[in-house]
């Protein structure tokens, strides 16, 4: 029982110290971090939309070729 209590105490203490260390070494404040994350999410959404439009154009071209094959 004593070993379990020592382990639990060590785990809690390690978690608290790790959390404090992470907060102290964080490169941004909370508001700055949210802004950075939002910008990255916006960029990813733009990239996904562009990739989807490009793929749609490719698929439409392939479909058109299947519907109207060029006669040789």
């Amino acid at each position: 029982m004593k070993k379990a209590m020592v382990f639990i105490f060590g785990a809690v203490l390690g978690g608290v110290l790790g959390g404090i260390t992470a907060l102290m070494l964080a490169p941004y404040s909370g508001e700055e971090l949210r802004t950075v994350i939002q910008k990255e999410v916006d960029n990813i959404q733009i990239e996904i939309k562009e990739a989807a439009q490009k793929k749609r154009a490719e698929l439409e071209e392939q479909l058109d070729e299947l519907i109207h094959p060029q006669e040789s």
Side-chain angles (χ1 to χ4, degrees), residues 26-43:
Y28 302 108
S29 71
E31 186 63 34
E32 290 172 325
L33 183 59
R34 284 189 288 276
T35 301
V36 169
I37 290 172
Q38 187 60 50
K39 286 180 182 179
E40 288 299 320
V41 167
D42 292 343
N43 289 339

Side-chain angles (χ1 to χ4, degrees), residues 3-42:
K3 287 183 180 183
M5 292 301 291
V6 170
F7 174 77
I8 291 171
F9 176 74
V12 170
L13 181 62
V16 170
L17 291 176
I20 291 170
T21 302
L23 288 173
M24 298 300 286
L25 297 177
Y28 302 108
S29 71
E31 186 63 34
E32 290 172 325
L33 183 59
R34 284 189 288 276
T35 301
V36 169
I37 290 172
Q38 187 60 50
K39 286 180 182 179
E40 288 299 320
V41 167
D42 292 343

Side-chain angles (χ1 to χ4, degrees), residues 37-55:
I37 290 172
Q38 187 60 50
K39 286 180 182 179
E40 288 299 320
V41 167
D42 292 343
N43 289 339
I44 291 170
Q45 287 177 338
I46 289 169
E47 288 178 17
I48 290 172
K49 287 178 183 177
E50 289 173 354
Q53 290 172 347
K54 181 179 178 182
K55 192 60 162 174

